[in-house]
Structures are given as C-alpha cells and as structure tokens.
C-alpha cells in the first residue's frame, strides 16, 4: 500500500511562493514577463506564483515528457506541446515543479535560448540536487529537498496525487 507523509505543508508553500513572487517583482518591475509553465506538474505553482506577483505576466505552457509512468527518469525528453507565441525580445521565466536530474530543464533551456528572448530565467518550486546529471542554473528555488519521491501540489505519481494540498513523500512497498 502506498503511504503519504507530508513534507511541506500548504501554508509553508503559500508563504514561500509569495516570497518568490516578490523577488520576481523586484527583478522585473516593468513587465510583461512571460511565465512558461511546464505541464503538467507546474500548473498549481504557476497559478499561485502568477497571482502573487504584481508585475504583469503573460502565461504560456509547454508540454514535455521525460518520465514514463514510473518514478525513474527515462532520460529521454520529448516536447509534446510547443509555445503558441514568439518569445523573441521578451523576459521569460520558465516555471517548473521540480528539478531532479536536470535533463528536462537543460533541454528546454536550449530550445528557448534559440528563440532569442531578452532574458531567460528559471523558477522551480522544488530542487532535488542530489541526482543532477546536467548542469542547470536555477534562479528562483522554493525549497531544496532530499532525494525522495514527492507528490502533491501538481506533482504526480502515474497521474495520481496532483491535487493534494501539501507536498508529500510517497512511500511504495518494494515488490
Ligand atoms: P529531471 O529531468 O530529472 O530534472 O526531471 C524533472 C521532471 O521529473 C519534473 O518536472 C517532474 O515531472 C519529474 N519528477 C522528478 N522528481 C519527481 C518527484 O519526486 N515526484 C514527481 N515528479 C518528479
Ligand atoms: Mg514536470
């Protein structure tokens, strides 16, 4: 049976996301800032971050798949949904749920950099730095977490648990 243990509670998430939003406001006082959310995991973080910001934001999403239905990375990145707009000449903040190996973000940053944005930064709710395989620079980090598999607040395991209000560690029996 799967077990869930709360790691970061809803109010802690809320407080930290407001801090990140204030930081982004300071860094981009004018706007608009293109916030590009990576589907599906980033949808809740992006919604909260964008609403906590005062700087005008434009919201876009890309779809990417780097994981199968399990808990380990396939190491293969695929763009399943591209941007609908040009980001040339705009300030862009890529919004990610969690950076683990860095493979996904490394790939995406290359893709976006080729499109000549004015600036390109990354905001991630969670950073799990222990398994980095690719160097990635993350500008705004919500929480650094240990190497455990987490779900909730947008993050899933095989499409389950995305609507949990807390970030929880998922424990599965080894069989
Ligand atoms: P990376 O390419 O290994 O950095 O993986 C990033 C993506 O893997 C994230 O956007 C998540 O979708 C997924 N991922 C990595 N770790 C976790 C986790 O602990 N729980 C849920 N999804 C995860
Ligand atoms: Mg993701």
């Amino acid at each position: 049976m799967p077990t869930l243990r709360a790691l970061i509670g809803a109010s802690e998430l809320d407080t930290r996301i407001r801090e990140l939003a204030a930081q982004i406001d300071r860094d981009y006082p004018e706007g608009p800032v293109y916030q590009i959310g990576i589907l599906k995991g980033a949808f809740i973080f992006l919604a909260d971050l964008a609403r906590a910001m005062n700087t005008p934001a434009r919201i876009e999403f890309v779809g990417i798949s780097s994981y199968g239905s399990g808990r380990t990375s396939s190491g293969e990145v695929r763009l399943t949904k591209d941007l609908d707009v040009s980001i040339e000449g705009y300030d862009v903040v890529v919004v990610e749920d969690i950076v683990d190996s860095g493979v996904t973000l490394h790939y995406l940053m290359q893709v976006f950099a080729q499109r000549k944005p004015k600036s390109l930064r990354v905001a991630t709710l969670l950073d799990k730095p222990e398994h980095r395989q690719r160097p990635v620079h993350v500008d705004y980090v919500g929480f650094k977490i240990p190497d455990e598999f987490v779900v909730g607040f947008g993050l899933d395991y095989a499409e389950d648990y995305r609507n949990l209000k807390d970030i929880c560690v998922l424990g599965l029996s080894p069989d």
Side-chain angles (χ1 to χ4, degrees):
M1 278 295 285
T3 57
L4 293 169
R5 171 172 58 84
L7 182 69
I8 308 167
S11 70
E12 212 182 330
L13 289 163
D14 183 65
T15 302
R16 184 67 186 128
I17 291 169
R18 286 177 194 284
E19 288 171 0
L20 294 180
Q23 220 178 318
I24 295 173
D25 281 346
R26 281 195 297 275
D27 292 350
Y28 305 92
E30 305 280 325
V33 175
Y34 269 97
Q35 295 192 299
I36 304 180
I38 303 175
L39 293 171
K40 302 173 196 165
F43 81 106
I44 293 180
F45 174 43
L46 187 145
D48 283 2
L49 187 67
R51 285 178 299 171
M53 283 169 49
N54 293 316
T55 289
R58 294 181 180 175
I59 312 297
E60 291 290 327
F61 289 97
V62 292
I64 196 123
S65 78
S66 62
Y67 271 40
S69 57
R71 292 191 295 172
T72 50
S73 174
S74 63
E76 189 186 303
V77 183
R78 210 158 46 89
L79 202 59
T80 55
K81 181 205 175 302
D82 202 344
L83 293 173
D84 300 319
V85 294
S86 167
I87 53 170
E88 188 171 342
Y90 284 102
D91 291 314
V92 171
V93 176
V94 176
V95 181
E96 177 62 303
D97 52 357
I98 184 167
V99 181
D100 183 16
S101 71
V103 170
T104 307
L105 205 53
H106 182 82
Y107 168 80
L108 271 180
M109 294 305 271
Q110 281 182 327
V111 170
F112 292 146
Q114 284 168 3
R115 299 179 183 184
K116 303 188 176 65
K118 181 171 153 199
S119 69
L120 181 59
R121 288 189 177 177
V122 178
T124 188
L125 180 63
L126 305 173
D127 184 9
K128 221 161 53 168
E130 282 174 44
H131 281 218
R132 233 18 143 256
Q133 293 171 23
R134 294 279 194 291
V136 284
H137 178 75
V138 185
D139 302 276
Y140 308 100
V141 178
F143 299 88
K144 274 206 166 67
I145 63 165
D147 185 25
E148 298 197 85
F149 195 84
V150 291
V151 295
F153 209 80
L155 289 94
D156 75 310
Y157 171 61
E159 296 304 326
D160 286 325
Y161 308 113
R162 289 195 198 275
N163 65 327
L164 295 179
K165 292 178 178 60
D166 305 325
I167 296 284
C168 299
V169 174
L170 179 71
L172 288 179
S173 51
D175 65 297

